[in-house]
Each structure stands twice: as C-alpha cells, then as structure tokens.
Amino acid sequence: MRSFLLAITLLAAPSATLAGSAEDIEAVITGQQAAWNEGDIDAFMTGYWNSEDLRFASGGDVTTGWAETLARYHARYDTPEKMGRLEFTDLDIDLLGEDAATAFGRWTVVREGDDPTGLFTLIFRRIDGDWVIVHDHTSAAD
C-alpha cells in the first residue's frame, strides 16, 4: 500500500486547537477512505456537508447539493468492481483559521484492469463543531 503522507501548514499562530483541527480533518479523510473500501458510499458521504450548498466539481461538471452528490457517486460506482480500492496519498492540510482549512492530495482507485488517479483540493469548514467538506474539486490524470 502506498504511504499516507501528511504535511501540516499552520497559517495562524500554532495552538493545540489548530493542531487538533488538522488531526480531525485527517480523520475525516481517512474515514472516507475506509468507508469507500468497505463499499459504503453513504458512510463515505458523511465527510461532506449535508447541505444544498455543497459543491463538487470534477470532469468539467459541477454538482451542487449533498443529495445530488450522493446520487452521482451511486450512479458512477454502482458495483464493487467500479469502486475498487481507494487510496489517498500526499495529503497536505492548510489551516486557514479556527473554522476553515484546505486539503490537497492525490487519489487512486485500484481496480482490476486500470488504476485511475488524480488530484483533489477540498475546502473544509467547521460547522456545528464538526469539520466537513464544503467544496471538492477533483481532477483525473490523463
């Protein structure tokens, strides 16, 4: 398995709260990876903001809303073979303050016959005490 690398950049004054925030954000991302690899798209989606204002951009398309994003995932990955095994690597979390952060990294889906890969940039917000993805921009390598 490829290594899971975490680099944390604190843009505000270092504090236990901000350091804990980076760990909380990493836990959201690793939780999504685990849910995906268990074939559980619904659990994977708990990392996203359950709001009509969620934005997911990929492949030149923009999907707005949590329910619409969930439906998109279910339609595209409707079999275990299509889901494959998800790996996140090269994770870099930038804390922008006490309630905002970005995460950048690489995704790879290991499947029989192909291993699609690409990059992602996530915008996180702390809403009601929880870190959630409010914007996901994912690209695929050619």
mmCIF file with all atom_site columns, all heavy atoms in Angstrom, residues 2-23:
data_model
loop_
_atom_site.group_PDB
_atom_site.id
_atom_site.type_symbol
_atom_site.label_atom_id
_atom_site.label_alt_id
_atom_site.label_comp_id
_atom_site.label_asym_id
_atom_site.label_entity_id
_atom_site.label_seq_id
_atom_site.pdbx_PDB_ins_code
_atom_site.Cartn_x
_atom_site.Cartn_y
_atom_site.Cartn_z
_atom_site.occupancy
_atom_site.B_iso_or_equiv
_atom_site.pdbx_formal_charge
_atom_site.auth_seq_id
_atom_site.auth_comp_id
_atom_site.auth_asym_id
_atom_site.auth_atom_id
_atom_site.pdbx_PDB_model_num
ATOM 1   N N   . ARG A 1 2  ? 0.497  2.206  -0.765 1.00 0.00 ? 2  ARG A N   1
ATOM 2   C CA  . ARG A 1 2  ? 1.280  3.438  -0.821 1.00 0.00 ? 2  ARG A CA  1
ATOM 3   C C   . ARG A 1 2  ? 1.220  4.141  0.533  1.00 0.00 ? 2  ARG A C   1
ATOM 4   O O   . ARG A 1 2  ? 0.251  4.047  1.258  1.00 0.00 ? 2  ARG A O   1
ATOM 5   C CB  . ARG A 1 2  ? 0.724  4.340  -1.913 1.00 0.00 ? 2  ARG A CB  1
ATOM 6   C CG  . ARG A 1 2  ? 0.880  3.719  -3.276 1.00 0.00 ? 2  ARG A CG  1
ATOM 7   C CD  . ARG A 1 2  ? 0.337  4.649  -4.340 1.00 0.00 ? 2  ARG A CD  1
ATOM 8   N NE  . ARG A 1 2  ? 0.535  4.046  -5.629 1.00 0.00 ? 2  ARG A NE  1
ATOM 9   C CZ  . ARG A 1 2  ? -0.440 3.680  -6.438 1.00 0.00 ? 2  ARG A CZ  1
ATOM 10  N NH1 . ARG A 1 2  ? -1.686 3.890  -6.121 1.00 0.00 ? 2  ARG A NH1 1
ATOM 11  N NH2 . ARG A 1 2  ? -0.186 3.118  -7.589 1.00 0.00 ? 2  ARG A NH2 1
ATOM 12  N N   . SER A 1 3  ? 2.285  4.872  0.837  1.00 0.00 ? 3  SER A N   1
ATOM 13  C CA  . SER A 1 3  ? 2.321  5.545  2.130  1.00 0.00 ? 3  SER A CA  1
ATOM 14  C C   . SER A 1 3  ? 1.325  6.698  2.158  1.00 0.00 ? 3  SER A C   1
ATOM 15  O O   . SER A 1 3  ? 1.011  7.298  1.148  1.00 0.00 ? 3  SER A O   1
ATOM 16  C CB  . SER A 1 3  ? 3.728  6.072  2.411  1.00 0.00 ? 3  SER A CB  1
ATOM 17  O OG  . SER A 1 3  ? 4.055  7.084  1.486  1.00 0.00 ? 3  SER A OG  1
ATOM 18  N N   . PHE A 1 4  ? 0.835  6.951  3.340  1.00 0.00 ? 4  PHE A N   1
ATOM 19  C CA  . PHE A 1 4  ? -0.104 8.052  3.566  1.00 0.00 ? 4  PHE A CA  1
ATOM 20  C C   . PHE A 1 4  ? 0.705  9.145  4.226  1.00 0.00 ? 4  PHE A C   1
ATOM 21  O O   . PHE A 1 4  ? 1.094  9.031  5.378  1.00 0.00 ? 4  PHE A O   1
ATOM 22  C CB  . PHE A 1 4  ? -1.256 7.590  4.463  1.00 0.00 ? 4  PHE A CB  1
ATOM 23  C CG  . PHE A 1 4  ? -2.359 8.582  4.594  1.00 0.00 ? 4  PHE A CG  1
ATOM 24  C CD1 . PHE A 1 4  ? -3.247 8.761  3.546  1.00 0.00 ? 4  PHE A CD1 1
ATOM 25  C CD2 . PHE A 1 4  ? -2.517 9.330  5.733  1.00 0.00 ? 4  PHE A CD2 1
ATOM 26  C CE1 . PHE A 1 4  ? -4.277 9.668  3.648  1.00 0.00 ? 4  PHE A CE1 1
ATOM 27  C CE2 . PHE A 1 4  ? -3.536 10.235 5.845  1.00 0.00 ? 4  PHE A CE2 1
ATOM 28  C CZ  . PHE A 1 4  ? -4.430 10.395 4.799  1.00 0.00 ? 4  PHE A CZ  1
ATOM 29  N N   . LEU A 1 5  ? 1.035  10.189 3.471  1.00 0.00 ? 5  LEU A N   1
ATOM 30  C CA  . LEU A 1 5  ? 1.906  11.250 3.928  1.00 0.00 ? 5  LEU A CA  1
ATOM 31  C C   . LEU A 1 5  ? 1.075  12.449 4.329  1.00 0.00 ? 5  LEU A C   1
ATOM 32  O O   . LEU A 1 5  ? 0.180  12.849 3.601  1.00 0.00 ? 5  LEU A O   1
ATOM 33  C CB  . LEU A 1 5  ? 2.868  11.641 2.792  1.00 0.00 ? 5  LEU A CB  1
ATOM 34  C CG  . LEU A 1 5  ? 3.832  12.781 3.038  1.00 0.00 ? 5  LEU A CG  1
ATOM 35  C CD1 . LEU A 1 5  ? 4.793  12.423 4.157  1.00 0.00 ? 5  LEU A CD1 1
ATOM 36  C CD2 . LEU A 1 5  ? 4.598  13.084 1.778  1.00 0.00 ? 5  LEU A CD2 1
ATOM 37  N N   . LEU A 1 6  ? 1.350  13.010 5.491  1.00 0.00 ? 6  LEU A N   1
ATOM 38  C CA  . LEU A 1 6  ? 0.611  14.169 5.977  1.00 0.00 ? 6  LEU A CA  1
ATOM 39  C C   . LEU A 1 6  ? 1.587  15.302 6.256  1.00 0.00 ? 6  LEU A C   1
ATOM 40  O O   . LEU A 1 6  ? 2.536  15.143 6.999  1.00 0.00 ? 6  LEU A O   1
ATOM 41  C CB  . LEU A 1 6  ? -0.151 13.826 7.262  1.00 0.00 ? 6  LEU A CB  1
ATOM 42  C CG  . LEU A 1 6  ? -0.828 14.975 7.991  1.00 0.00 ? 6  LEU A CG  1
ATOM 43  C CD1 . LEU A 1 6  ? -1.938 15.547 7.108  1.00 0.00 ? 6  LEU A CD1 1
ATOM 44  C CD2 . LEU A 1 6  ? -1.391 14.524 9.303  1.00 0.00 ? 6  LEU A CD2 1
ATOM 45  N N   . ALA A 1 7  ? 1.343  16.435 5.618  1.00 0.00 ? 7  ALA A N   1
ATOM 46  C CA  . ALA A 1 7  ? 2.103  17.647 5.909  1.00 0.00 ? 7  ALA A CA  1
ATOM 47  C C   . ALA A 1 7  ? 1.110  18.684 6.379  1.00 0.00 ? 7  ALA A C   1
ATOM 48  O O   . ALA A 1 7  ? 0.063  18.871 5.771  1.00 0.00 ? 7  ALA A O   1
ATOM 49  C CB  . ALA A 1 7  ? 2.826  18.134 4.661  1.00 0.00 ? 7  ALA A CB  1
ATOM 50  N N   . ILE A 1 8  ? 1.414  19.344 7.483  1.00 0.00 ? 8  ILE A N   1
ATOM 51  C CA  . ILE A 1 8  ? 0.502  20.331 8.050  1.00 0.00 ? 8  ILE A CA  1
ATOM 52  C C   . ILE A 1 8  ? 1.182  21.688 8.043  1.00 0.00 ? 8  ILE A C   1
ATOM 53  O O   . ILE A 1 8  ? 2.291  21.836 8.520  1.00 0.00 ? 8  ILE A O   1
ATOM 54  C CB  . ILE A 1 8  ? 0.111  19.959 9.488  1.00 0.00 ? 8  ILE A CB  1
ATOM 55  C CG1 . ILE A 1 8  ? -0.567 18.586 9.503  1.00 0.00 ? 8  ILE A CG1 1
ATOM 56  C CG2 . ILE A 1 8  ? -0.784 21.015 10.099 1.00 0.00 ? 8  ILE A CG2 1
ATOM 57  C CD1 . ILE A 1 8  ? -0.780 18.035 10.874 1.00 0.00 ? 8  ILE A CD1 1
ATOM 58  N N   . THR A 1 9  ? 0.481  22.677 7.494  1.00 0.00 ? 9  THR A N   1
ATOM 59  C CA  . THR A 1 9  ? 0.972  24.034 7.493  1.00 0.00 ? 9  THR A CA  1
ATOM 60  C C   . THR A 1 9  ? 0.020  24.870 8.330  1.00 0.00 ? 9  THR A C   1
ATOM 61  O O   . THR A 1 9  ? -1.162 24.933 8.028  1.00 0.00 ? 9  THR A O   1
ATOM 62  C CB  . THR A 1 9  ? 1.015  24.605 6.065  1.00 0.00 ? 9  THR A CB  1
ATOM 63  O OG1 . THR A 1 9  ? 1.816  23.730 5.267  1.00 0.00 ? 9  THR A OG1 1
ATOM 64  C CG2 . THR A 1 9  ? 1.600  26.000 6.059  1.00 0.00 ? 9  THR A CG2 1
ATOM 65  N N   . LEU A 1 10 ? 0.529  25.477 9.375  1.00 0.00 ? 10 LEU A N   1
ATOM 66  C CA  . LEU A 1 10 ? -0.299 26.331 10.217 1.00 0.00 ? 10 LEU A CA  1
ATOM 67  C C   . LEU A 1 10 ? -0.091 27.773 9.783  1.00 0.00 ? 10 LEU A C   1
ATOM 68  O O   . LEU A 1 10 ? 0.994  28.314 9.896  1.00 0.00 ? 10 LEU A O   1
ATOM 69  C CB  . LEU A 1 10 ? 0.074  26.163 11.692 1.00 0.00 ? 10 LEU A CB  1
ATOM 70  C CG  . LEU A 1 10 ? -0.116 24.750 12.250 1.00 0.00 ? 10 LEU A CG  1
ATOM 71  C CD1 . LEU A 1 10 ? 0.361  24.687 13.687 1.00 0.00 ? 10 LEU A CD1 1
ATOM 72  C CD2 . LEU A 1 10 ? -1.565 24.339 12.151 1.00 0.00 ? 10 LEU A CD2 1
ATOM 73  N N   . LEU A 1 11 ? -1.145 28.396 9.269  1.00 0.00 ? 11 LEU A N   1
ATOM 74  C CA  . LEU A 1 11 ? -1.047 29.767 8.802  1.00 0.00 ? 11 LEU A CA  1
ATOM 75  C C   . LEU A 1 11 ? -1.382 30.755 9.904  1.00 0.00 ? 11 LEU A C   1
ATOM 76  O O   . LEU A 1 11 ? -1.125 31.941 9.777  1.00 0.00 ? 11 LEU A O   1
ATOM 77  C CB  . LEU A 1 11 ? -1.969 29.971 7.600  1.00 0.00 ? 11 LEU A CB  1
ATOM 78  C CG  . LEU A 1 11 ? -1.641 29.102 6.387  1.00 0.00 ? 11 LEU A CG  1
ATOM 79  C CD1 . LEU A 1 11 ? -2.635 29.373 5.264  1.00 0.00 ? 11 LEU A CD1 1
ATOM 80  C CD2 . LEU A 1 11 ? -0.236 29.346 5.907  1.00 0.00 ? 11 LEU A CD2 1
ATOM 81  N N   . ALA A 1 12 ? -1.996 30.290 10.947 1.00 0.00 ? 12 ALA A N   1
ATOM 82  C CA  . ALA A 1 12 ? -2.294 31.126 12.102 1.00 0.00 ? 12 ALA A CA  1
ATOM 83  C C   . ALA A 1 12 ? -1.299 30.740 13.187 1.00 0.00 ? 12 ALA A C   1
ATOM 84  O O   . ALA A 1 12 ? -0.509 29.819 13.030 1.00 0.00 ? 12 ALA A O   1
ATOM 85  C CB  . ALA A 1 12 ? -3.726 30.887 12.565 1.00 0.00 ? 12 ALA A CB  1
ATOM 86  N N   . ALA A 1 13 ? -1.345 31.443 14.316 1.00 0.00 ? 13 ALA A N   1
ATOM 87  C CA  . ALA A 1 13 ? -0.454 31.122 15.418 1.00 0.00 ? 13 ALA A CA  1
ATOM 88  C C   . ALA A 1 13 ? -0.684 29.675 15.847 1.00 0.00 ? 13 ALA A C   1
ATOM 89  O O   . ALA A 1 13 ? -1.825 29.259 16.018 1.00 0.00 ? 13 ALA A O   1
ATOM 90  C CB  . ALA A 1 13 ? -0.715 32.069 16.586 1.00 0.00 ? 13 ALA A CB  1
ATOM 91  N N   . PRO A 1 14 ? 0.388  28.886 16.007 1.00 0.00 ? 14 PRO A N   1
ATOM 92  C CA  . PRO A 1 14 ? 0.214  27.491 16.397 1.00 0.00 ? 14 PRO A CA  1
ATOM 93  C C   . PRO A 1 14 ? -0.499 27.400 17.738 1.00 0.00 ? 14 PRO A C   1
ATOM 94  O O   . PRO A 1 14 ? -0.243 28.167 18.653 1.00 0.00 ? 14 PRO A O   1
ATOM 95  C CB  . PRO A 1 14 ? 1.645  26.964 16.514 1.00 0.00 ? 14 PRO A CB  1
ATOM 96  C CG  . PRO A 1 14 ? 2.484  27.903 15.715 1.00 0.00 ? 14 PRO A CG  1
ATOM 97  C CD  . PRO A 1 14 ? 1.788  29.233 15.782 1.00 0.00 ? 14 PRO A CD  1
ATOM 98  N N   . SER A 1 15 ? -1.408 26.463 17.827 1.00 0.00 ? 15 SER A N   1
ATOM 99  C CA  . SER A 1 15 ? -2.108 26.231 19.081 1.00 0.00 ? 15 SER A CA  1
ATOM 100 C C   . SER A 1 15 ? -2.594 24.802 19.100 1.00 0.00 ? 15 SER A C   1
ATOM 101 O O   . SER A 1 15 ? -2.697 24.138 18.068 1.00 0.00 ? 15 SER A O   1
ATOM 102 C CB  . SER A 1 15 ? -3.289 27.181 19.232 1.00 0.00 ? 15 SER A CB  1
ATOM 103 O OG  . SER A 1 15 ? -4.313 26.829 18.338 1.00 0.00 ? 15 SER A OG  1
ATOM 104 N N   . ALA A 1 16 ? -2.923 24.317 20.282 1.00 0.00 ? 16 ALA A N   1
ATOM 105 C CA  . ALA A 1 16 ? -3.433 22.961 20.401 1.00 0.00 ? 16 ALA A CA  1
ATOM 106 C C   . ALA A 1 16 ? -4.733 22.817 19.623 1.00 0.00 ? 16 ALA A C   1
ATOM 107 O O   . ALA A 1 16 ? -4.995 21.780 19.028 1.00 0.00 ? 16 ALA A O   1
ATOM 108 C CB  . ALA A 1 16 ? -3.638 22.618 21.874 1.00 0.00 ? 16 ALA A CB  1
ATOM 109 N N   . THR A 1 17 ? -5.539 23.868 19.595 1.00 0.00 ? 17 THR A N   1
ATOM 110 C CA  . THR A 1 17 ? -6.809 23.811 18.871 1.00 0.00 ? 17 THR A CA  1
ATOM 111 C C   . THR A 1 17 ? -6.568 23.600 17.390 1.00 0.00 ? 17 THR A C   1
ATOM 112 O O   . THR A 1 17 ? -7.207 22.758 16.763 1.00 0.00 ? 17 THR A O   1
ATOM 113 C CB  . THR A 1 17 ? -7.611 25.109 19.083 1.00 0.00 ? 17 THR A CB  1
ATOM 114 O OG1 . THR A 1 17 ? -7.857 25.261 20.476 1.00 0.00 ? 17 THR A OG1 1
ATOM 115 C CG2 . THR A 1 17 ? -8.918 25.086 18.340 1.00 0.00 ? 17 THR A CG2 1
ATOM 116 N N   . LEU A 1 18 ? -5.642 24.354 16.811 1.00 0.00 ? 18 LEU A N   1
ATOM 117 C CA  . LEU A 1 18 ? -5.369 24.214 15.385 1.00 0.00 ? 18 LEU A CA  1
ATOM 118 C C   . LEU A 1 18 ? -4.709 22.883 15.078 1.00 0.00 ? 18 LEU A C   1
ATOM 119 O O   . LEU A 1 18 ? -5.044 22.237 14.090 1.00 0.00 ? 18 LEU A O   1
ATOM 120 C CB  . LEU A 1 18 ? -4.526 25.375 14.881 1.00 0.00 ? 18 LEU A CB  1
ATOM 121 C CG  . LEU A 1 18 ? -5.228 26.736 14.849 1.00 0.00 ? 18 LEU A CG  1
ATOM 122 C CD1 . LEU A 1 18 ? -4.286 27.808 14.318 1.00 0.00 ? 18 LEU A CD1 1
ATOM 123 C CD2 . LEU A 1 18 ? -6.492 26.683 14.020 1.00 0.00 ? 18 LEU A CD2 1
ATOM 124 N N   . ALA A 1 19 ? -3.781 22.449 15.914 1.00 0.00 ? 19 ALA A N   1
ATOM 125 C CA  . ALA A 1 19 ? -3.140 21.157 15.674 1.00 0.00 ? 19 ALA A CA  1
ATOM 126 C C   . ALA A 1 19 ? -4.180 20.045 15.750 1.00 0.00 ? 19 ALA A C   1
ATOM 127 O O   . ALA A 1 19 ? -4.186 19.128 14.930 1.00 0.00 ? 19 ALA A O   1
ATOM 128 C CB  . ALA A 1 19 ? -2.019 20.928 16.677 1.00 0.00 ? 19 ALA A CB  1
ATOM 129 N N   . GLY A 1 20 ? -5.076 20.115 16.730 1.00 0.00 ? 20 GLY A N   1
ATOM 130 C CA  . GLY A 1 20 ? -6.150 19.139 16.829 1.00 0.00 ? 20 GLY A CA  1
ATOM 131 C C   . GLY A 1 20 ? -7.062 19.184 15.627 1.00 0.00 ? 20 GLY A C   1
ATOM 132 O O   . GLY A 1 20 ? -7.576 18.156 15.183 1.00 0.00 ? 20 GLY A O   1
ATOM 133 N N   . SER A 1 21 ? -7.252 20.377 15.075 1.00 0.00 ? 21 SER A N   1
ATOM 134 C CA  . SER A 1 21 ? -8.095 20.516 13.895 1.00 0.00 ? 21 SER A CA  1
ATOM 135 C C   . SER A 1 21 ? -7.513 19.760 12.713 1.00 0.00 ? 21 SER A C   1
ATOM 136 O O   . SER A 1 21 ? -8.248 19.112 11.962 1.00 0.00 ? 21 SER A O   1
ATOM 137 C CB  . SER A 1 21 ? -8.261 21.995 13.534 1.00 0.00 ? 21 SER A CB  1
ATOM 138 O OG  . SER A 1 21 ? -8.969 22.665 14.546 1.00 0.00 ? 21 SER A OG  1
ATOM 139 N N   . ALA A 1 22 ? -6.216 19.851 12.510 1.00 0.00 ? 22 ALA A N   1
ATOM 140 C CA  . ALA A 1 22 ? -5.582 19.133 11.406 1.00 0.00 ? 22 ALA A CA  1
ATOM 141 C C   . ALA A 1 22 ? -5.763 17.627 11.579 1.00 0.00 ? 22 ALA A C   1
ATOM 142 O O   . ALA A 1 22 ? -6.041 16.911 10.615 1.00 0.00 ? 22 ALA A O   1
ATOM 143 C CB  . ALA A 1 22 ? -4.102 19.497 11.315 1.00 0.00 ? 22 ALA A CB  1
ATOM 144 N N   . GLU A 1 23 ? -5.646 17.154 12.796 1.00 0.00 ? 23 GLU A N   1
ATOM 145 C CA  . GLU A 1 23 ? -5.860 15.734 13.062 1.00 0.00 ? 23 GLU A CA  1
ATOM 146 C C   . GLU A 1 23 ? -7.315 15.353 12.802 1.00 0.00 ? 23 GLU A C   1
ATOM 147 O O   . GLU A 1 23 ? -7.590 14.270 12.271 1.00 0.00 ? 23 GLU A O   1
ATOM 148 C CB  . GLU A 1 23 ? -5.458 15.400 14.492 1.00 0.00 ? 23 GLU A CB  1
ATOM 149 C CG  . GLU A 1 23 ? -3.966 15.514 14.734 1.00 0.00 ? 23 GLU A CG  1
ATOM 150 C CD  . GLU A 1 23 ? -3.597 15.458 16.207 1.00 0.00 ? 23 GLU A CD  1
ATOM 151 O OE1 . GLU A 1 23 ? -4.510 15.341 17.064 1.00 0.00 ? 23 GLU A OE1 1
ATOM 152 O OE2 . GLU A 1 23 ? -2.396 15.542 16.503 1.00 0.00 ? 23 GLU A OE2 1
#
